[in-house]
Amino acid sequence: MREEPRLRVAAFRPADDRLDDAVELIESLGADPVPDPMLAVEPAAAGDIDGDGDDGPVTPRTDADYVVLTSKTGVELAAEAGWDSGEATVCAIGESTAAALHEAGYGVDIIPAEYSSTGLVETLAGAVDGARVEVARSDHGSAVLTDGLEAAGAYVHETVLYRLVRPPESGESTELAASGDLDAALFTSSLTVEHFLDAAAERGVREAAVDGLNEATVGAIGEPTRETAEAAGIAVDVVPEQADFEALTCETVEAAAPTHHE
């Protein structure tokens, strides 16, 4: 009996344990992973005007009433820099961020039911009027969070802990999409969409890659990511109810399988 070809599923997570975990998850679902990191982390440096990275690490402010961490990466960088959460109410967007805080020895006071900027704004809206809120995250954080907290009456300060850049070697998945050899793609942020398109353009296959994605099954981790993809002409098939990579992967692979096996 002829064996069915396996789905080829692209994952765009940073080239660390997150990409390793993505590969393992995709393989456990009976698909072939295409690990193509579209993000790399560059820690910010305090007062690093000349860009040489020699001016010390950045930490969240320590005089805030609430401190919001939005990612595992941000937690790890804050911990490495010796951040002290003090008496602040610590908020984590998502279980992975909360787990990283616990692992680093911090308490976690608030996790919104919806793992998103909108979810956290809704959770804090009635509590932060007049409060100082520190938001510590990457340089590509959504304005939904900061604008929403300000609208709720908070005094918001944002600290950029790290920058997200595209690794120069990224782009294998764009060529596979352009040639019709990619069955599914897992976009975990608007920036992964933008970097995918940049990598495709760099290879001269942007239009063909978008066409290829539109013949594949595309998953987006949340509404902002879906909106970015669709604005670029990429049809999104799956947006999981929870902004969680495992849910994104399982639902996207499940959605791709019937088409793949027709």
Side-chain angles (χ1 to χ4, degrees):
M1 182 177 175
R2 186 172 63 85
E3 187 176 324
E4 285 282 357
R6 286 158 60 99
L7 293 173
R8 301 182 84 175
V9 181
F12 307 123
R13 310 206 83 184
D16 52 25
D17 60 327
R18 284 166 291 187
L19 192 61
D20 294 339
D21 291 345
V23 166
E24 185 178 337
L25 176 58
I26 292 167
E27 288 177 338
S28 77
L29 297 171
D32 286 332
V34 180
D36 194 6
M38 288 292 169
L39 300 174
V41 174
E42 285 187 353
D48 189 15
I49 297 172
D50 56 7
D52 62 7
D54 291 337
D55 302 295
V58 173
T59 65
R61 291 180 63 158
T62 57
D63 59 351
D65 302 303
Y66 292 79
V67 178
V68 178
L69 279 300
T70 65
S71 70
K72 176 176 181 285
T73 298
V75 172
E76 291 170 347
L77 290 172
E80 288 170 10
W83 171 59
D84 181 357
S85 60
E87 298 299 314
T89 298
V90 177
C91 310
I93 296 183
E95 290 292 348
S96 62
T97 306
L101 281 161
H102 285 306
E103 188 173 333
Y106 298 106
V108 179
D109 301 295
I110 295 174
I111 307 171
E114 178 187 327
Y115 300 161
S116 68
S117 295
T118 301
L120 185 60
V121 170
E122 290 175 353
T123 300
L124 295 180
V128 295
D129 188 12
R132 294 167 296 181
V133 180
E134 166 76 341
V135 176
R137 58 184 182 175
S138 81
D139 62 331
H140 286 278
S142 167
V144 169
L145 179 58
T146 48
D147 289 353
L149 292 171
E150 286 178 349
Y155 299 100
V156 179
H157 179 270
E158 182 176 8
T159 295
V160 172
L161 297 177
Y162 59 100
R163 299 176 180 85
L164 292 168
V165 300
R166 179 169 66 85
E169 69 276 9
S170 64
E172 175 192 1
S173 62
T174 68
E175 296 181 358
L176 290 173
S179 62
D181 293 321
L182 192 67
D183 299 296
L186 307 169
F187 289 107
T188 50
S189 66
S190 290
L191 197 57
T192 57
V193 177
E194 293 164 7
H195 284 180
F196 176 94
L197 294 170
D198 289 345
E202 200 172 74
R203 288 161 171 72
V205 298
R206 175 173 169 141
E207 186 175 342
V210 171
D211 289 344
L213 286 181
N214 287 334
E215 293 298 320
T217 301
V218 174
I221 204 162
E223 286 302 318
T225 305
R226 179 188 66 76
E227 290 167 9
T228 300
E230 293 187 345
I234 301 167
V236 173
D237 303 287
V238 174
V239 180
E241 189 173 330
Q242 283 283 8
D244 172 81
F245 183 76
E246 184 172 348
L248 171 68
T249 305
C250 293
E251 292 181 30
T252 302
V253 170
E254 183 178 350
T259 301
H260 185 65
H261 291 126
E262 281 180 356

